[in-house]
Every structure is written in structure tokens, then in C-alpha cells.
Amino acid sequence: MFCSDFFTKKVVDEEIMINLRDMLNQETILLQAEADDWQAAVRLGGQLLIDSGVAEPRYIDAIIQCTIEFGPYYVLAPGLAMPHARPEHGVKKTGFSLMTLRTPVPFGHTENDPVDILIFLAAADSSSHLEAMSQIVTVFSDDEAFAKIRQAKDANQINELLNQMVDI
Amino acid sequence: MLKVVAACGNGMGSSQIIKMKIEKVFKKLNITASIDHMSVGEAKTAAANYDVVFCSISLINQFVVKNNRTKVIGLVNLLSEQEIEAKIVENDIK
């Protein structure tokens, strides 16, 4: 009994240690992209989640459906959106992707439009993405880092910034 | 103790970010609160059991609470501790 408890606990701990730095790489970062509107932007950045094997294509449809139903509640701050849906909408494992847009697009938010930085979240459960998400909060609560991400032309610049700002 | 809920479209992302930020601000203001997070669908039904509901400004119309207890606060910038603090003070939450 104790052994199985220990094993379960250990697996959970390993899941919790998902780090933003490990999630964002050449494959999951797309900088200075072009999209005509918010749906095109969600499809383009969401494709990175599909290509990196963390979500099924229907996950992107779910994000668009949720946005139409509830509005752009995931537009977190001026210019910044974190599109996501729920685990049962086709998440295979927890992951993130980052996309910046050359030309910002409106999401229909009363005050934070237009958006040019999008962090896509695929959460496999309610907790394994929390550490990475608190790193996102740290990075984007810093105006200087925000500006650097907005201007970045190369994924290495993003990785360098995360290395500077995120411990562990 | 103050009962607070952070709500977002599906309870996975933005509501947890709101929770992280309001925890910090409550601590700064020395307000003791228990903070849950959930989707707007769940929160609509549960709202009346809470003193305060925090959500994105784009969800504020989802909440119609007819009691004298529950305050619904819509946030524009979910990352701004200044905005959260100003709205806590403005709504006389303690």
C-alpha cells in the first residue's frame, strides 16, 4: 500500500515539474508571423501544438468555439493572449507554444486589443502546467521582457530571456 | 474568512492566473481569504456562496447575482497587481 502510494506521488511530482524553458524551442516558437484575423492567428499558433505532438487538431476547433461562446477571456493583458481549451478537448500531454505577430489582430476585447503575443496552452490536467504558467506570469509582468519578446526575431532570443528570468 | 472565487472560460488557465495574482495582493493587504478557481459555467451556479468573484472583464455579463453578499469584479489586465489592489480597495473588500 505504502509502495503504491509512493509511486503515485512520485509520478505526480514529475508531472508538476514542467518548465516553460523545456516547452518553448525552435519547434514551438513562431516569431513575427502574419495572420489576417484572430481565428487565423489561433489556427497558426495552435498548429505548433499539433506539430509538436501535444494536442489533436480538434483542440484548436475547441479554442475557437470557446472564444465564440464566452468571448476573449484569455486575453490577459494589453497585447497578450493565452488561448486554451480543456484537457478533454484533445490534449495529449501538457505543452505550450509561443507566437508573435508582425501586425497585431483584434480579439474583440474591450480594452486589451489588439493582440500580438500569443502563448498557447494545452493542459493535460489541472496542475501539471501551473509551474510553467507562474513562469509566464513572472515574464509578462515585466515590461522590459514583454518588449523583448515582442521584438524578438529568433527563438534563441526567447530562450536566452527565459534562462535569465526563470530559475530552477 | 473571505471566500473568493476566480473564474474563467474553462477553469484551466486564466482563472489560475487570476488566483496567483489575487493571492499575492491579498497577502500584501493582510486580508485572509480562501480562493477557489473554476470555469464560468460552474462559477455561475456557485457564485452566491462566495463573497467575491474575480473574472476577466469580458465575462462580467455572465454573472447576475441577486444577493447583498457577492461582489463581482471584472479585471482588464489580469497581470496587473495595481489594478487588482485598486479594485479591492474600491469595492471595500476586507
Side-chain angles (χ1 to χ4, degrees):
Chain A
M1 188 63 188
F2 280 123
C3 283
S4 71
D5 278 349
F6 178 74
F7 184 71
T8 311
K9 178 76 166 52
K10 192 157 189 318
V11 170
V12 168
D13 280 348
E14 276 167 16
E15 278 174 1
I16 288 170
M17 289 303 284
I18 286 172
N19 192 314
L20 192 60
R21 278 188 314 196
D22 303 331
M23 293 288 117
L24 294 182
N25 50 47
Q26 298 285 349
E27 200 185 16
T28 51
I29 297 176
L30 179 62
L31 300 174
Q32 306 289 324
E34 293 279 3
D36 287 339
D37 55 26
W38 71 267
Q39 294 210 22
V42 168
R43 294 216 175 273
L44 192 60
Q47 190 62 40
L48 301 170
L49 294 178
I50 299 167
D51 293 343
S52 60
V54 304
E56 297 168 22
R58 67 186 173 99
Y59 186 65
I60 312 308
D61 298 328
I63 294 176
I64 290 174
Q65 210 44 54
C66 285
T67 314
I68 292 168
E69 195 173 336
F70 294 116
Y73 59 88
Y74 52 69
V75 178
L76 306 180
L80 174 69
M82 191 178 69
H84 61 278
R86 289 189 55 84
E88 62 270 25
H89 292 142
V91 176
K92 293 199 254 181
K93 59 184 180 191
T94 295
F96 291 84
S97 65
L98 169 71
M99 181 173 77
T100 61
L101 294 173
R102 197 184 299 270
T103 313
V105 296
F107 269 71
H109 193 283
T110 49
E111 321 226 7
N112 294 337
D113 270 347
V115 168
D116 61 350
I117 303 180
L118 296 96
I119 290 256
F120 290 82
L121 157 66
D125 53 66
S126 60
S127 63
S128 59
H129 60 299
L130 287 182
E131 182 63 39
M133 218 164 57
S134 94
Q135 294 168 345
I136 290 170
V137 170
T138 304
V139 170
F140 286 100
S141 298
D142 182 312
D143 289 342
E144 209 176 305
F146 212 116
K148 279 185 184 165
I149 290 172
R150 181 165 275 146
Q151 286 153 13
K153 301 238 171 350
D154 188 301
N156 289 329
Q157 291 171 277
I158 303 290
N159 291 127
E160 274 170 33
L161 183 73
L162 292 178
N163 282 335
Q164 285 165 16
M165 295 196 68
V166 175
D167 308 331
I168 291 178
Chain B
M1 191 179 2
L2 198 66
K3 277 193 76 188
V4 179
V5 63
C8 78
N10 52 42
M12 298 300 297
S14 336
S15 62
Q16 296 191 342
I17 286 184
I18 295 174
K19 182 173 185 252
M20 286 176 198
K21 283 290 183 182
I22 58 180
E23 257 169 6
K24 228 171 142 178
V25 177
F26 277 136
K27 203 170 171 192
K28 184 186 165 197
L29 298 174
N30 278 322
I31 297 170
T32 318
S34 73
I35 308 170
D36 295 330
H37 70 91
M38 57 185 72
S39 72
V40 64
E42 295 166 300
K44 269 202 271 194
T45 330
N49 301 319
Y50 288 89
D51 300 304
V52 194
V53 179
F54 281 94
C55 63
S56 156
I57 191 90
S58 42
L59 291 174
I60 194 130
N61 294 332
Q62 301 277 336
F63 293 97
V64 185
V65 189
K66 290 177 185 155
N67 66 21
N68 294 325
R69 175 186 174 188
T70 312
K71 287 175 179 163
V72 183
I73 297 179
L75 298 173
V76 174
N77 185 338
L78 275 46
L79 301 180
S80 168
E81 285 161 38
Q82 274 171 324
E83 181 186 338
I84 294 169
E85 184 172 340
K87 287 185 172 167
I88 288 174
V89 173
E90 196 180 297
N91 282 279
D92 198 26
I93 292 162
K94 51 197 154 189

